[in-house]
Amino acid sequence: MDWLFPAALALTGTFGVLMTLWGLWYLISGLACVRKPTDYGFHPARTKFAILIAARNEELVIGPLINSLLTQDYPADLYDIWVIPNNCTDNTALAAQNFGAKVLECTVPVKSKGEVLHFAYNRLRGRRYDAWLVFDADNVAAPRFLAEMNNARMAGVQAAQGYRDSKNPYDTAVSGCSSIYYWMMDRFHNGGKAGLGVSAMIGGTGFMVTQKLLDRLGGWRTETISEDLELTAQTVLAGERVAYVPKAVTYDEQPLTWEQSFTQRRRWTSGTIQVAQGYLAPLAEEQADQPRLALFDFETTLLLPAYQLAALAGLLCTAITSALGGRTLLQSLILGLAGACGNIAWAALTATAAAGIVLTIESKWDRRLWKGLACYWLFLLSWLPITAVSFWKKTTVWKEIRHTRAVVPQLPGR
């Protein structure tokens, strides 16, 4: 049994090195956010937009989104709002019509948002739109969202992700954690990628893709449960990048309970694993043929679930290594628990510090966020078992998270 300690120590070191390498690259790319975002200038309104809203049982919340889109600082004749009700048991279609949107009933069986968007695109592509925008039904768009996306497209951008803000950061600890997470993604992920000159990540809502790019991609053809990440992969493989347009702001409703958050994050993680399985090999082949920093960077993004799994394995190995130093069973249990708690305490400290930094940089400090800030480390830590379960059994069907509160944030310029 003398081999147990060095074996556990070696495994702990291996997982530590792998996590450090991945974390170092994420740190480098995150620090690139200090560079100012690209200024796309001011351009005349010329882009004809199709706005797609996949909606399932959203009659209670879709009104504020449609109102925010109908009152954009953009010519009304240059965009259409299309609500695509699917699998509904309420009056989403009627509510959307009453608020002033066009309704395209989904007439085929669908089990994911990507399939709904695929259906809508195929039905509407003959209407000669220049670009397509996607929102979730519980969103609210800032008044200049369309104008800023027009500026980006007129400057040559083919795909773009806007700034995802939060409608309800103060409701619960969970909504606070989710809000901090999105602000972190805005600043350090998408802002950092933009600073490096590589691709930002499409985040499921508040994004644009041009008809020109979709023609190159062969249409809207995502097949995984993470249609946003898959579309990003297709964009990167096509030699384009997703631009980050922080002036195009969307307000998103965050989950209120841990159960809702687990459901949402399990779907994200399962989708990331699906996309990694389908696209890591093509990305590697393209990298071997024509090496590009954008390809390497996106490959590291797809490895996030593997990083999280390594973090969980590293935590267990640390506990085992510490426990092997005990001479009695009680000593082993105490040392193992101490080793695990030490790692968790360090992770909690760094996560809380990072959350505090992003709240400062994004000017989001508010005493009502104290619950979210206090629990943010737990929010991130809980992702480890979610990832482990997702590797064991992936979610392949979109599970509804019911929105029942029509929260309207204070919009700029209103």
Side-chain angles (χ1 to χ4, degrees):
M1 299 294 284
D2 293 339
W3 58 271
L4 278 177
F5 182 78
L9 190 62
L11 282 174
T12 302
T14 300
F15 286 123
V17 169
L18 293 174
M19 291 170 59
T20 299
L21 290 175
W22 189 93
L24 181 61
W25 175 249
Y26 198 81
L27 176 63
I28 292 171
S29 64
L31 290 175
C33 73
V34 298
R35 295 185 62 182
K36 289 185 178 180
T38 300
D39 185 353
Y40 296 105
F42 173 80
H43 298 272
R46 292 179 180 169
T47 304
K48 181 67 179 291
F49 290 111
I51 301 174
L52 303 182
I53 306 166
R56 179 182 298 185
N57 294 328
E58 304 282 16
E59 69 168 315
L60 297 178
V61 298
I62 201 167
L65 170 61
I66 295 174
N67 285 337
S68 72
L69 292 172
L70 289 173
T71 55
Q72 288 283 299
D73 296 334
Y74 200 74
D77 61 333
L78 285 181
Y79 66 98
D80 293 323
I81 306 169
W82 290 98
V83 175
I84 311 101
N86 62 95
N87 299 305
C88 290
T89 57
D90 68 356
N91 294 313
T92 295
L94 180 60
Q97 284 181 329
N98 288 340
F99 278 105
K102 300 177 186 294
V103 173
L104 177 63
E105 290 279 3
C106 190
T107 56
V108 300
V110 292
K111 57 182 180 180
S112 70
K113 179 180 171 183
E115 292 180 354
V116 177
L117 297 175
H118 175 78
F119 165 82
Y121 173 78
N122 285 342
R123 289 295 182 92
L124 300 173
R125 63 172 301 179
R127 293 175 179 255
R128 299 184 181 277
Y129 291 113
D130 299 311
W132 304 74
L133 299 172
V134 175
F135 291 94
D136 287 339
D138 58 286
N139 295 165
V140 170
R144 286 194 54 79
F145 187 95
L146 269 62
E148 296 300 341
M149 284 300 186
N150 171 74
N151 290 338
R153 177 184 170 270
M154 297 304 293
V157 168
Q158 299 301 312
Q161 174 63 53
Y163 185 99
R164 291 187 67 172
D165 210 332
S166 177
K167 287 168 63 176
N168 59 328
Y170 315 123
D171 282 358
T172 67
V174 175
S175 71
C177 289
S178 295
S179 300
I180 293 170
Y181 173 76
Y182 275 118
W183 295 328
M184 195 87 68
M185 289 292 292
D186 287 326
R187 171 61 64 165
F188 295 123
H189 187 93
N190 284 339
K193 305 306 182 188
L196 276 182
V198 296
S199 182
M201 187 170 69
I202 292 173
T205 187
F207 72 88
M208 174 190 74
V209 58
T210 66
Q211 182 61 54
K212 181 179 178 180
L213 178 57
L214 287 173
D215 287 340
R216 290 180 58 193
L217 298 180
W220 205 298
R221 54 180 186 84
T222 59
E223 298 178 357
T224 68
I225 200 168
S226 281
E227 77 291 332
D228 47 1
L229 189 62
E230 186 175 1
L231 185 56
T232 306
Q234 294 171 355
T235 301
V236 172
L237 280 170
E240 293 286 347
R241 69 183 184 92
V242 178
Y244 178 47
V245 187
K247 291 181 179 180
V249 182
T250 304
Y251 296 86
D252 198 9
E253 184 176 334
Q254 308 305 330
L256 299 177
T257 67
W258 286 106
E259 182 182 2
Q260 291 175 338
S261 178
F262 291 156
T263 298
Q264 183 184 67
R265 288 184 285 155
R266 189 172 174 212
R267 183 176 72 240
W268 292 348
T269 303
S270 295
T272 302
I273 295 171
Q274 284 182 307
V275 176
Q277 290 173 335
Y279 286 87
L280 274 177
L283 287 164
E285 292 173 5
E286 182 70 16
Q287 183 76 290
D289 186 44
Q290 292 183 326
R292 301 199 314 269
L293 182 62
L295 293 169
F296 168 78
D297 176 74
F298 190 68
E299 287 169 330
T300 62
T301 297
L302 291 184
L303 290 174
L304 176 58
Y307 167 84
Q308 293 171 329
L309 201 62
L312 181 60
L315 181 64
L316 295 175
C317 285
T318 299
I320 292 171
T321 303
S322 301
L324 290 172
R327 296 188 177 184
T328 66
L329 179 60
L330 180 60
Q331 286 180 339
S332 296
L333 289 174
I334 293 174
L335 289 173
L337 184 61
C341 288
N343 268 8
I344 292 173
W346 174 249
L349 180 63
T350 54
T352 304
I357 290 171
V358 80
L359 289 178
T360 301
I361 296 174
E362 297 296 295
S363 300
K364 299 294 186 181
W365 275 109
D366 190 294
R367 60 183 180 81
R368 292 171 293 177
L369 267 174
W370 72 267
K371 291 182 291 185
L373 180 61
C375 292
Y376 189 64
W377 67 273
L378 183 60
F379 176 83
L380 294 183
L381 185 66
S382 67
W383 221 313
L384 302 186
I386 290 172
T387 299
V389 171
S390 297
F391 267 103
W392 174 58
K393 186 177 181 181
K394 292 188 291 292
T395 296
T396 57
V397 178
W398 181 81
K399 186 177 180 181
E400 177 186 2
I401 296 178
R402 186 67 64 94
H403 301 108
T404 59
R405 300 169 61 245
V407 182
V408 181
Q410 181 65 42
L411 301 180
R414 292 282 175 88

